[in-house]
Structures are given as structure tokens and as C-alpha cells.
Amino acid sequence: LSSGVCCCCAALRPRYKRLVDNIFPEDPKDGLVKADMEKLTFYAVSAPEKLDRIGAYLAERLSRDVVRHRYGYVLIAMEALDQLLMACHSQSIKPFVESFLHMVAKLLESGEPKLQVLGTNSFVKFANIEEDTPSYHRRYDFFVSRFSAMCHSCDQDPEIQTEIRIAGIRGIQGVVRKTVNDELRATIWEPQHMDKIVPSLLFNMQKIEDIDSRTGPPSSPTGGEKDENPAVLAENCFRELLGRATYGNMNNAVRPVFAHLDHHRLWDPNEFAVSCFKIIMYSIQAQYSHHVIQEILGHLDARKRDSPRVRAGIIQVLLEAVAIAAKGSIGPTVLEVFNTLLKHLRISVDFELGDRRSSAGSATFSTSSKESDERIVQNAIIQTIGFFGSNLPDYQRSEIMMFIMGKVPVFGITSQSLDTSHLGDLGTRRIQIMLLRSLLMVTSGYKATAITNALPAPFLDPLLSPSLMDDSELRQLVLEILHNLIDRHDNRAKLRGIRIIPDVSDLKIKRDKISRQDVSFMKKHGQQLYRHIYLGCKEDDNVQKNFELLYTSLALITIELANEEVVIDLIRLAIALQDMAIINEDNLPMFNRCGVMALVAAYLNFLSQMIAVPAFCQHVSKVIETRSLEAPYFLPETIFKDKCNLPKSLEKHEKSLFFLTNKIAESLGGSGYSVERLSVPYVPQVTDEDRLSRRKSIVDTVSIQVDILPGNNTEDKIDNTEEITFEALKKAIDNNGLEEQEKEKRRLVIEKFQKAPFEEIAAQCETKANLLHDRLAQILELTIRPPPSPSGTMTITAGHAHYQSVPVYEMKFPDLCVY
């Protein structure tokens, strides 16, 4: 007998041992004796209490055969075990399973590849069996370790190496399936197991990807080849593992991915890292996406001192992750994403400027290379911010716009949450530009139903402040952001480039009727927009792009927000720009003056055709025609060419080259427009934004000199000059006290009208009306008596502007004094 026992002794052996011995033939090549195997199976099903003894005896025989290298009998024993497992599902199978797992472990421990594959195949079959009751004492630590080691097989024979790796991957897949279906499935998610399973799968995915990248794109595999591909198996197992992850164990499955990418330096280049996180984001449940994003942000913080290319690789992975997560649930991580990215943007600028300062005077290649690498990091951050923001819902995008705008540093304000105090002016400018570029990407494609939703007052004020700074690139970015928010019908592409449009109807401009909310917005904030356009045209560093964007701003305001009142204001603004270029109080270069003239011509040509007033169109066309013959440098097609002959002055030009207010008023008045306000020149008011944006203003150097000259003795002049600075005047006025008084006064008036009797209010109003009537009569009878000799003069100095001495006139009434 194969068991080595004589016939007499065999008859005395227990029945289960005799049934087990009978399934083994004398020659192992003949394979399992099927008839005797059926008897053994029937006996095991009929007497399930004998299963543990059958398993123990089979395990004893298999161990002996493994030691003796009798691999034929090993194959037969494992085949018998597999059939018994498939046939028996009683309560008594638990001890039998323990014997089975012990035999599988023996095979996996052997150094024979065929036995390792055999044990793996048996374990996979066992993993697919659904047990009736959970096992509370069974653990798979050994199998996790062994299968993970098989995934890293380095056998010299490539075929054997691939075979063992495939077996290891299938074994891990079997462990995952078996433990997830078990009541104690949480044990597989412990960090000590995940730290072995996940890197083993990634190792096989990475190795095969490296081979494919060296040999070129692989051909599409057939069904058989696909099953034998370790990369495909590892990816499928990785997806299955992540798909079964829950809220409590998601992080344990993701963190080993970072460790693997760090250890193998796969962030630069990061193609494999990107593919890994795409698999992760598409495999996990959508509601857990924010867990992965938080882990990426945390790893970015942990690696903030690494090389720029490593940080750029991590940020690129974050971009791919948020691109997928933005379509689903990202929960409370929205602001955390932006806050972390903005923090790393500041860190990158700090590194760039620090390297530049440390290498001042020695421009080495390494330093310039590192600076360019930091630019890669910064561009990746901006791209991520923009892409993430543009994929958010409108209500969240509005919050992000406010959030980013609140991070933009402004000169003169130190309470910014994004600290740039140590970066200096250059670093602050870099941060401003990059944040505005981020905001530009976030606002791209944003379509608000009402302009008040896109440009609320808390957002509009800080947005327009950089448009007054002495930096043409900053002003360009602000105007482009403004275009994104104003242009709700995608007309900007049709207006690209400043030019004289022969027929505006060919552009097929899309527009809707101006809503009540838009009218209210222009009444409240229209002057603010006009002021920034006017002051933007006065900058001496403007280039062609600045003029193009200013022209587009005027055109978009006309399309989206202009009613009759706004049209009149826009014409006043255009005429004021023309006068500014002609008078040239700011000493602008001739190119800028001609550029403003060309801007006014292009815009009035557009506006006249939009409102379709024939007389207005005729006047504009006539001026443009005259300019094309006598002064082509006043037209955009000529002034913005590379070589353009500029005039020496503009004051001597004929009036036929200019747009005239009286002609425009006459043409619009005949079409029903209220043109009274056209006679009032447009003058922008100076606000605190000039100081905050470091714009040169006369307010910075205001001083007042008062020279008192005695009237009796003209020879002996007493020089009593008092210097009063702007700060002294500011302190002299208690603004807070005045505001409190005004509030109290308004409160008393409201309270009086709410509580006082109607007769009392009417009587008081009648009394005040009579007093006002008498006072006006006195003023009309007022006679101004000039003094025989000036009793005093006043000299006012404001910056570089000196005004003539003004005589003081005394009034008839001592309580009325006019200076």
C-alpha cells in the first residue's frame, strides 16, 4: 500500500484512515482514485464529526510527502482536500478548515514554485466558499505576509517569477475576499496588514508599467494574456480592496500608497502616482473622496521642504483627485484645499526669493534652475485652484472668490491672513499676481443671473483696488477677472482686439433686457467702475493689451448693464478721456495719449451702433473718417502697429478730429435722450484706494500756508507762516464724534416722526418753511462790499499746485462769511 502499512494492519485501522488511504494510487501518475474519493466524500457528509480527523490525517500524509519530495501524492492530497471543502458545509467543518490552512501554509513555505502555486490555488478556492458561521479565532497574518512576499519574487527565470507573482496577487485577493465577508473583517484593515498588501500590489503595477514604457505601447491583450498579466491582476485587486473600504478604514488603505511613492521616488516624474490616485478616486465610494484629498493635503504639508519638482508632483496628483471629487461630494474640505494651496504658494515664493537673495551677484545655473522649478510649483498650484474652483457649484464658487480675494495682500494693510510681510515688495507683487491668476481661473465660466451676485460690494471694492496699482500686469488681471464676471452671454471673444468695427451687427452680440437688479447695481457702483477705467487709462506704463482690455470693459458694460442713463455716463467718460489726452495734465507719453484717443474712437464707434441713433453714428463716422485721412495715429489700427509715426503735440489739431459734446448732445437729444448731464464734465473722486494701492496722489503732499499781511503798514510785513500737515488736519477732525452725532440726530428725527402727533409735525414743518423763505429773501438782498484795501490773503499749496492769493470779502451779515 502507498501508506506503507501491511494488509493485516490495514484492516484494523479506523475506517476514515482506510478511506483516505484508498484515494492514493500506487503510481501517483494515475491521479486521484475517483471511486474511492466518492466513498470518502459520502462518508464525510454522512459523518461530519469525522471531518476533523480526516483533515488531520490528510495533513499528516501531505507533510510527510512534502518532506520526501513526493510531489505527485501532494497534488492528490490537495485535490482531495479541495473536493471535501466544496462538498461539506456543516458546523463541524471548522476544525477541518484549520487542517486545510495548515497544509496550505506548508506548501507556501516550501521553496518549490509549483507547490507554492498549488497552495495558492487551493486557498483561492477556499476563499470563494461562503461559510455559514464566522470564525472568531482564525487569523490570516501568515498568509498576508507570505502572499505579499511572493508578489516581490525575484526568481532568475522570468516565467517562474511571473508565475509566483501572479500567485501572490491572487492569494492577496483571496485573503481580502475571505476577510471582508467574515465578521472579523476589520482585522485585515489594520496598518500592519495594509503596509504589506498595498505596496505589494503597487510594486507589480509599477514594474509592469516600467517595462511597457521601455518597450513602447503594449498591444491589446487577449483574454488569456490578460489573466496572466500581473499588472492587470494587481490593479483589479487594488480596485476591489478600495471598493470594500469604509469610513473607518479608508485612511489605512491610502497611507501606504504615499509611503510607496516616497520610497521609490515616484513623485518626479509622477505618471505612476497620478494613475494610482485616479484608480483610488474612481474605486472608493464617492462620499469618502474628501478623505483622500485630506490625506494628499497632509502629505503635501509633510513634504513642504522637499525639492520643487516633488511638491509639484504632489500638487498635480491633488489636481487629478479634486477634478474627480468635484463632481461628487467633497464635504468640508473645500476651504481646507484652498487654504493649504495658498499657504504653499506663499512658501514657494519665499523659497524662490530666498534663493535669489542668497545668490545675488553669482547667477549660477543651479539657482536659475531652482527658480524655474519653483515657477512650476506655483503654476501647478494656480492650475489646481482654478480647476477646482471652476468645477464647484455657483454658491460655493462665490465663497471661494471671496476667500481668495481676501488673501490678496494690499499695500498699507497688515491684517492679511496670508502673511507676506517678510517677502518684501517683490514677493508681495508675486503673490498678488498669482492669486489674481488663480481668481481668474475660478471665475472662468461663471454665469450669475444678477450682476450683484457676481460682484457684491465686499468683493468689488478689494477687486478694483489692484487696478490702480503701478503694475500693468496686475491691472490686466483685474480687468480680465471683471470681464469673466460681467460677460454673461459669452460676447468677449467677439470683442477681442481693439479696432474700428464697420458693422457691429455682424458680431451677432447676445444680450438681454437690463434687469431691475442690474439697474440698481449701476446706480450704486457705476461711478466706481467708471472711475477705475478712467484712472486705468492714465497709467504711463500701459501697453496695447491694457488698452484692449479697457476697451472690452467699456463694451461689456454697454452690452450687459447699460440703460439710457448709463449710456449718457459712458459718453461723459469717453469725452473726459479724450480731454485728458489732449490737455495732458499727467504728462503722459505721446503713445499713451494717442492710445487713449484710439480707445475713445473704437468705443464710441461701438456704442453709437449699439444704441442705433443715426445722427450720433454719423458724427462718430465723420470724425473717424477725418482721422483716417489727417491723423491716423488717433485710430487703433495705426497707433498699435510696431512702427507708427507719432505727432509732436495734440493741442494744434482741428476740432474736426475730436468728438464734440455739443454735437453728441444735439444728436441724442433729437432721439429722446436726456442730455442735460452731458454738459457736466466727468471728474473722478479721490478715495482711500489711491493710498492703499500706492498710487501717487496730491493728497500725500497736501500742505496749507496762510500768509497774513497787515493792512495798515505795507512796508513792515510780518511773516507769520504756519505749516499744517495732512496728518495734523486729520487729527483735528474727530470723525468718530461726527458720525455719532449724525447717527443720534437721525435717530431723534425718526423717533419724532414715529411718536409725535401729526398736527405738531405739520406746524413745525410750516414754521421751518417760513423761516427758510425769509432767509432766502435776505440772501437775495445781500450786498457784497469789498474792503478798501485787502485785509488778508490766503495762499493754498497742494502738492505742486499753487493757487493765487484770494481776497477775503466781508458780508453784510457777520454770521455769513464767504472766502
Side-chain angles (χ1 to χ4, degrees):
L1 294 173
S2 61
S3 60
V5 183
C6 64
C7 297
C8 297
C9 295
L12 299 176
R13 294 168 63 81
R15 185 182 180 186
Y16 73 90
K17 287 188 177 182
R18 284 185 278 122
L19 291 174
V20 170
D21 291 339
N22 291 337
I23 66 175
F24 291 93
E26 293 184 2
D27 188 357
K29 295 182 180 179
D30 295 337
L32 181 68
V33 180
K34 295 183 179 180
D36 292 329
M37 186 64 212
E38 291 177 358
K39 295 179 182 179
L40 178 62
T41 303
F42 179 78
Y43 177 76
V45 172
S46 302
E49 68 276 3
K50 300 293 185 179
L51 269 175
D52 57 335
R53 299 181 182 180
I54 294 172
Y57 184 60
L58 276 171
E60 180 184 345
R61 287 192 58 119
L62 183 137
S63 299
R64 185 171 62 249
D65 292 335
V66 169
V67 173
R68 296 176 180 179
H69 299 285
R70 301 171 64 179
Y71 298 138
Y73 289 118
V74 173
L75 295 175
I76 293 173
M78 292 306 301
E79 185 178 355
L81 284 169
D82 293 342
Q83 291 189 22
L84 287 174
L85 276 175
M86 299 300 294
C88 302
H89 296 284
S90 65
Q91 298 287 340
S92 303
I93 200 174
K94 300 302 178 184
F96 176 76
V97 170
E98 297 301 326
S99 300
F100 167 78
L101 293 177
H102 177 70
M103 286 182 279
V104 171
K106 284 288 184 182
L107 296 179
L108 295 177
E109 286 177 340
S110 67
E112 184 64 30
K114 291 183 179 180
L115 295 184
Q116 294 179 2
V117 174
L118 177 63
T120 302
N121 293 337
S122 296
F123 183 84
V124 171
K125 293 177 183 178
F126 162 71
N128 293 327
I129 297 175
E130 294 185 4
E131 301 183 49
D132 297 334
T133 57
S135 176
Y136 294 101
H137 63 279
R138 190 186 307 156
R139 297 187 64 86
Y140 298 92
D141 300 8
F142 168 80
F143 295 100
V144 170
S145 301
R146 189 58 194 159
F147 288 136
S148 299
M150 292 170 63
C151 290
H152 294 81
S153 174
C154 297
D155 196 280
Q156 295 180 355
D157 189 344
E159 294 183 0
I160 295 177
Q161 181 187 107
T162 301
E163 189 177 11
I164 296 176
R165 288 187 179 182
I166 290 175
I169 296 170
R170 294 179 62 189
I172 289 177
Q173 193 172 26
V175 172
V176 171
R177 291 176 179 176
K178 193 64 178 176
T179 53
V180 166
N181 292 330
D182 200 341
E183 290 292 335
L184 299 179
R185 59 183 178 274
T187 57
I188 196 62
W189 298 106
E190 293 177 358
Q192 63 266 27
H193 298 321
M194 287 291 106
D195 290 343
K196 298 174 183 176
I197 292 175
V198 174
S200 301
L201 299 176
L202 296 178
F203 175 77
N204 285 273
M205 295 164 59
Q206 170 198 350
K207 286 295 181 183
I208 301 301
E209 183 172 294
D210 292 344
I211 295 173
D212 292 341
S213 64
R214 289 195 299 266
T215 59
S219 57
S220 57
T222 60
E225 294 173 345
K226 197 170 184 179
D227 294 338
E228 298 300 322
N229 189 342
V232 175
L233 285 175
E235 181 178 334
N236 292 337
C237 183
F238 190 48
R239 290 180 183 274
E240 184 176 354
L241 176 68
L242 294 169
R244 297 174 184 269
T246 58
Y247 179 84
N249 48 49
M250 174 62 61
N251 294 341
N252 291 339
V254 175
R255 285 171 185 166
V257 178
F258 294 104
H260 180 82
L261 297 176
D262 290 342
H263 180 72
H264 293 275
R265 299 179 180 179
L266 297 175
W267 295 112
D268 178 33
N270 67 338
E271 287 79 7
F272 180 72
V274 169
S275 65
C276 283
F277 278 92
K278 282 185 176 180
I279 292 173
I280 293 173
M281 296 303 294
Y282 281 116
S283 300
I284 63 175
Q285 301 180 42
Q287 63 267 30
Y288 304 146
S289 297
H290 63 279
H291 279 286
V292 181
I293 295 176
Q294 285 176 333
E295 289 295 325
I296 299 175
L297 293 174
H299 195 69
L300 181 60
D301 286 336
R303 303 298 298 270
K304 63 183 179 182
R305 297 293 178 182
D306 281 24
S307 65
R309 291 190 175 273
V310 170
R311 286 181 281 128
I314 300 175
I315 294 169
Q316 181 67 27
V317 168
L318 179 63
L319 171 61
E320 298 293 339
V322 298
I324 300 171
K327 302 174 183 177
S329 172
I330 49 180
T333 59
V334 177
L335 290 180
E336 183 181 353
V337 170
F338 287 99
N339 198 31
T340 303
L341 289 175
L342 294 179
K343 179 179 67 176
H344 283 275
L345 186 64
R346 180 189 58 77
I347 292 174
S348 178
V349 173
D350 193 11
F351 286 161
E352 178 187 358
L353 297 179
D355 294 335
R356 185 179 302 176
R357 287 190 294 266
S358 63
S359 61
S362 59
T364 60
F365 173 77
S366 60
T367 301
S368 60
S369 176
K370 192 167 185 180
E371 286 183 6
S372 62
D373 290 345
E374 290 295 344
R375 295 293 178 93
I376 294 175
V377 175
Q378 295 160 14
N379 290 333
I381 293 175
I382 292 171
Q383 187 180 9
T384 305
I385 291 175
F387 189 86
F388 193 16
S390 61
N391 281 278
L392 291 174
D394 287 346
Y395 71 93
Q396 280 188 327
R397 202 192 303 199
S398 299
E399 295 177 359
I400 295 304
M401 288 160 49
M402 297 284 291
F403 180 77
I404 297 177
M405 199 66 240
K407 297 287 184 178
V408 177
V410 178
F411 293 112
I413 295 181
T414 59
S415 60
Q416 293 292 322
S417 53
L418 191 65
D419 184 20
T420 59
S421 57
H422 65 286
L423 297 179
D425 290 352
L426 180 60
T428 302
R429 177 187 175 275
R430 291 276 298 146
I431 291 291
Q432 288 172 334
I433 289 177
M434 285 184 287
L435 289 180
L436 290 177
R437 285 176 58 193
S438 304
L439 188 60
L440 179 63
M441 296 189 67
V442 172
T443 57
S444 178
Y446 181 59
K447 298 291 187 300
T449 54
I451 196 65
T452 52
N453 297 333
L455 290 171
F459 177 74
L460 180 63
D461 295 337
L463 173 64
L464 293 180
S465 293
S467 68
L468 301 178
M469 293 184 180
D470 296 329
D471 190 297
S472 61
E473 186 176 359
L474 279 173
R475 299 196 301 272
Q476 292 172 11
L477 288 171
V478 171
L479 291 174
E480 289 177 343
I481 294 169
L482 199 63
H483 297 170
N484 282 343
L485 299 174
I486 294 179
D487 184 20
R488 292 171 289 180
H489 297 86
D490 298 324
N491 293 312
R492 187 174 18 163
K494 304 170 186 177
L495 301 169
R496 184 172 292 118
I498 180 171
R499 64 195 187 279
I500 303 297
I501 304 174
D503 190 354
V504 175
S505 61
D506 293 340
L507 300 180
K508 297 181 180 179
I509 299 293
K510 298 179 182 178
R511 62 184 305 189
D512 293 331
K513 186 178 179 181
I514 308 301
S515 64
R516 184 178 300 175
Q517 293 89 344
D518 294 344
V519 173
S520 175
F521 173 83
M522 289 305 293
K523 287 183 178 179
K524 190 174 182 180
H525 301 288
Q527 295 298 324
Q528 195 174 0
L529 294 176
Y530 306 149
R531 173 178 180 272
H532 284 268
I533 292 175
Y534 180 86
L535 296 177
C537 292
K538 295 176 66 174
E539 298 292 342
D540 55 4
D541 61 340
N542 281 338
V543 295
Q544 179 178 352
K545 185 176 181 180
N546 292 89
F547 288 111
E548 290 178 353
L549 294 174
L550 289 166
Y551 162 76
T552 305
S553 301
L554 290 168
L556 289 176
I557 292 174
T558 304
I559 296 171
E560 298 285 349
L561 304 170
N563 55 7
E564 290 188 6
E565 183 178 351
V566 174
V567 167
I568 297 298
D569 288 335
L570 290 171
I571 294 175
R572 291 175 59 221
L573 174 61
I575 297 301
L577 290 173
Q578 177 181 259
D579 296 341
M580 176 195 71
I582 296 173
I583 301 173
N584 195 24
E585 293 180 347
D586 296 288
N587 297 321
L588 294 175
M590 185 55 67
F591 169 78
N592 295 69
R593 299 173 66 187
C594 293
V596 172
M597 298 292 284
L599 166 66
V600 173
Y603 173 65
L604 289 181
N605 172 70
F606 176 82
L607 176 63
S608 62
Q609 296 185 54
M610 287 296 294
I611 64 178
V613 176
F616 186 24
C617 294
Q618 184 178 1
H619 172 65
V620 173
S621 300
K622 185 177 180 180
V623 173
I624 292 175
E625 183 179 355
T626 307
R627 288 185 177 185
S628 62
L629 297 176
E630 301 179 13
Y633 39 78
F634 283 168
L635 299 177
E637 289 81 1
T638 302
I639 186 60
F640 295 123
K641 288 183 178 179
D642 292 337
K643 295 181 180 180
C644 176
N645 295 324
L646 299 175
K648 294 182 179 180
S649 65
L650 304 184
E651 288 76 9
K652 297 181 180 180
H653 285 79
E654 298 293 334
K655 289 186 177 181
S656 59
L657 297 176
F658 304 139
F659 300 99
L660 303 178
T661 304
N662 57 347
K663 294 283 187 180
I664 297 175
E666 182 180 351
S667 61
L668 294 179
S671 299
Y673 280 82
S674 178
V675 295
E676 290 80 6
R677 287 189 299 117
L678 282 178
S679 59
V680 181
Y682 172 78
V683 178
Q685 296 180 354
V686 180
T687 66
D688 287 340
E689 290 177 350
D690 299 314
R691 176 178 57 84
L692 297 180
S693 60
R694 286 192 173 178
R695 185 183 180 85
K696 295 178 181 178
S697 173
I698 61 172
V699 180
D700 297 333
T701 57
V702 167
S703 64
I704 299 177
Q705 280 189 342
V706 179
D707 297 335
I708 302 178
L709 301 179
N712 297 330
N713 189 357
T714 59
E715 295 180 357
D716 299 328
K717 297 182 178 180
I718 303 174
D719 187 6
N720 189 5
T721 303
E722 181 182 359
E723 287 288 340
I724 305 176
T725 63
F726 177 76
E727 291 296 328
L729 287 175
K730 187 176 180 181
K731 291 179 180 179
I733 302 175
D734 186 3
N735 290 328
N736 295 330
L738 292 177
E739 290 179 0
E740 292 297 330
Q741 292 178 8
E742 290 293 331
K743 289 181 181 179
E744 181 65 18
K745 188 176 181 180
R746 286 194 296 268
R747 188 188 67 80
L748 293 175
V749 171
I750 293 173
E751 183 178 356
K752 182 175 182 179
F753 274 86
Q754 288 176 343
K755 298 180 180 180
F758 175 76
E759 294 78 6
E760 180 182 346
I761 296 174
Q764 187 174 5
C765 291
E766 183 178 0
T767 303
K768 287 188 176 182
N770 294 333
L771 290 174
L772 179 61
H773 181 270
D774 297 339
R775 191 66 169 174
L776 288 174
Q778 291 177 355
I779 292 174
L780 291 176
E781 296 176 357
L782 184 68
T783 59
I784 300 176
R785 177 175 55 85
S789 61
S791 60
T793 60
M794 175 179 289
T795 302
I796 301 177
T797 304
H800 299 289
H802 298 274
Y803 298 89
Q804 295 179 354
S805 298
V806 181
V808 180
Y809 291 94
E810 295 180 353
M811 310 297 290
K812 181 178 179 181
F813 300 93
D815 59 332
L816 292 177
C817 185
V818 180
Y819 292 89

